[in-house]
């Protein structure tokens, strides 16, 4: 007997979110209540949590069969948790939202209305970011502006992964094979009709952010190297510019030597050495990022390893 797919799937990556999961479930359930008759599934992906997150997900499934739990064998990262949820979901429409409740589930109604009007993707666009430091806001602003100039495709500014998508969009994203996955960029890449819905982002309901500076830098690299080869062209232009500058400095040195007007001392030489060496290491590191990602893709390892799951039919 064939199983009728639910109308709405909610995909939630979870990493050490034990303090938020009960409130998350309550608010998600209330937001999804108008669509309960058509069918709803709530997919929580435990991304190798070290707290009681998985035990809570199992308990939520025991009291509500709509809750589906996926548990990774270790921490594979936010993007892979989203990927697992998108690959497992069966809904005609799919909402992805983080477990920290900074993005309000209550916005679902407005998203559904925009989708009823013809949108294929309704993405949340932040107009304010409560509870974030000035450093994070400033670096986020710089990142989005830089990504806008470097990316080969337009990726909306001030957006996260919080969005509602149709089944055809999710199917298009799921067939993309890369392992360095920047989900919001991948969704922008597939096209279709995408519209924003503005909202004020709240503070975390509980706990602390899981995005360290290192993880934010890695996310930025995934975004830039995954959706643009312009940095490689920039590397060529910078290298060529440095070569021209080096030629000018060499001419100056030769002329000074012929005219017996050479400058004695180490300061100028040290300055030139530092400039050129720094540029070389920067360019080598940039090229190395692309080579490293090519190497990772050629290994064709699975994107994640599932330890166990509850609530999905085999």
């Amino acid at each position: 007997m064939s199983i009728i797919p639910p109308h709405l799937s909610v995909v939630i990556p979870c990493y050490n979110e034990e303090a938020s999961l009960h409130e998350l479930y309550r608010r998600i359930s209330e937001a999804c209540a108008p669509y309960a008759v058509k069918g709803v599934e709530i997919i929580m992906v435990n991304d190798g949590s070290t707290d009681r997150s998985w035990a809570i997900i199992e308990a939520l499934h025991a009291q509500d069969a709509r809750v589906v739990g996926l548990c990774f064998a270790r921490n594979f990262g936010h993007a892979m948790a989203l990927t697992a949820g998108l690959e497992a979901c069966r809904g005609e429409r799919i909402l992805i939202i983080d477990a920290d409740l900074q993005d309000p589930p209550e916005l679902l109604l407005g998203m559904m209305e925009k989708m009823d009007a013809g949108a294929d993707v309704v993405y949340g666009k932040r107009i304010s970011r409560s509870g974030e430091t000035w450093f994070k806001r400033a670096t986020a602003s710089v990142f989005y502006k830089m990504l806008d100039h470097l990316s080969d495709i337009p990726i909306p500014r001030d957006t996260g992964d919080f969005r509602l998508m149709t089944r055809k969009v999710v199917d298009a994203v799921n067939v993309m094979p890369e392992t360095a996955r920047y989900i919001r960029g991948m969704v922008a890449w597939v096209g279709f009709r995408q519209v924003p819905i503005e909202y004020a982002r709240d503070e975390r309901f509980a706990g602390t952010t899981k995005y360290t500076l290192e993880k934010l830098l890695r996310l930025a690299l995934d975004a830039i190297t995954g959706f643009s080869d312009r940095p490689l062209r920039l590397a060529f232009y910078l290298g060529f510019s440095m070569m021209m500058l080096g030629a000018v400095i060499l001419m100056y040195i030769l002329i000074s030597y012929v005219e017996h007007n050479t400058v004695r001392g180490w300061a100028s030489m040290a300055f030139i050495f530092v400039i050129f060496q720094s540029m070389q290491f920067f360019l080598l590191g940039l090229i190395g990022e692309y080579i490293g990602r090519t190497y990772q893709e050629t290994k064709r390892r699975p994107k994640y390893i599932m330890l166990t799951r509850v609530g999905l039919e085999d």
Side-chain angles (χ1 to χ4, degrees):
M1 182 178 63
S2 61
I3 299 176
I4 300 176
H7 178 64
L8 175 66
S9 296
V10 183
V11 175
I12 312 167
C14 307
Y15 178 63
N16 290 346
E17 297 288 357
E18 63 177 359
S20 301
L21 290 179
H22 286 292
E23 178 66 11
L24 171 71
Y25 168 75
R26 183 188 68 80
R27 289 178 61 181
I28 288 288
S29 297
E30 290 180 358
C32 293
Y35 317 103
V37 175
K38 294 183 178 180
V40 173
E41 66 178 1
I42 303 170
I43 301 179
M44 297 183 175
V45 185
N46 178 42
D47 185 22
S49 298
T50 56
D51 62 1
R52 297 183 59 256
S53 291
W54 179 242
I56 294 173
I57 292 171
E58 287 183 308
L60 290 173
H61 167 71
Q63 74 179 58
D64 186 348
R66 298 178 305 170
V67 176
V68 173
L70 307 178
C71 185
F72 283 174
R74 65 169 175 83
N75 177 248
F76 282 89
H78 184 271
M80 294 309 171
L82 275 181
T83 297
L86 293 177
E87 291 178 346
C89 69
R90 301 167 297 165
E92 298 171 8
R93 296 181 177 184
I94 297 91
L95 174 72
I96 55 179
I97 185 171
D98 287 342
D100 55 20
L101 288 172
Q102 287 188 276
D103 303 318
E106 294 76 15
L107 210 60
L108 175 62
L109 178 61
M111 289 176 155
M112 293 289 268
E113 290 174 350
K114 285 180 176 287
M115 190 161 284
D116 290 338
D120 296 299
V121 177
V122 184
Y123 57 86
K125 183 176 177 62
R126 305 159 183 159
I127 57 175
S128 64
R129 305 162 70 104
S130 300
E132 295 185 357
T133 64
W134 69 267
F135 176 78
K136 187 171 182 179
R137 291 195 299 270
T139 52
S141 176
V142 170
F143 164 70
Y144 284 117
K145 289 179 181 178
M146 181 175 63
L147 181 61
D148 189 42
H149 285 90
L150 291 177
S151 178
D152 296 325
I153 59 169
I155 299 177
R157 292 187 186 183
D158 298 316
T159 62
D161 294 310
F162 180 45
R163 62 195 62 219
L164 180 68
M165 300 177 288
T166 60
R167 166 52 56 185
K168 61 184 177 182
V169 173
V170 171
D171 287 344
V173 171
N174 284 343
V175 299
M176 299 172 72
E178 58 257 47
T179 56
R181 302 175 74 81
Y182 182 61
I183 301 295
R184 65 200 75 168
M186 296 168 70
V187 173
W189 185 89
V190 300
F192 300 102
R193 186 183 177 203
Q194 308 199 15
V195 300
I197 185 168
E198 294 184 340
Y199 72 105
R201 199 174 199 218
D202 298 328
E203 297 184 33
R204 286 183 63 91
F205 175 76
T208 58
T209 180
K210 309 306 185 298
Y211 273 107
T212 62
L213 180 59
E214 179 183 357
K215 289 183 178 180
L216 289 172
L217 289 174
R218 176 55 56 183
L219 181 67
L221 284 172
D222 285 343
I224 293 170
T225 58
F227 292 91
S228 177
D229 60 0
R230 291 182 185 177
L232 288 176
R233 294 198 294 271
L234 179 62
F236 170 79
Y237 295 142
L238 286 174
F240 183 78
S241 300
M242 290 298 101
M243 184 177 67
M244 292 296 99
L245 179 59
V248 171
I249 294 174
L250 179 61
M251 290 177 61
Y252 169 77
I253 293 173
L254 290 175
I255 293 172
S256 298
Y257 178 79
V258 170
E259 295 180 351
H260 304 286
N261 191 30
T262 55
V263 178
R264 297 183 180 277
W266 60 271
S268 58
M269 294 303 298
F271 175 77
I272 295 171
F273 176 80
V274 168
I275 291 296
F276 277 86
Q277 287 297 103
S278 299
M279 185 59 64
Q280 286 177 355
F281 280 117
F282 171 77
L283 297 180
L284 285 173
L286 179 61
I287 295 170
E289 278 293 325
Y290 280 90
I291 294 174
R293 287 163 195 276
T294 302
Y295 166 68
Q296 292 294 335
E297 295 294 340
T298 58
K299 289 193 292 187
R300 309 308 301 162
R301 288 179 178 172
K303 295 185 287 291
Y304 53 83
I305 302 295
M306 197 72 66
L307 178 63
T308 188
R309 62 186 186 179
V310 293
L312 280 179
E313 298 292 337
D314 293 329

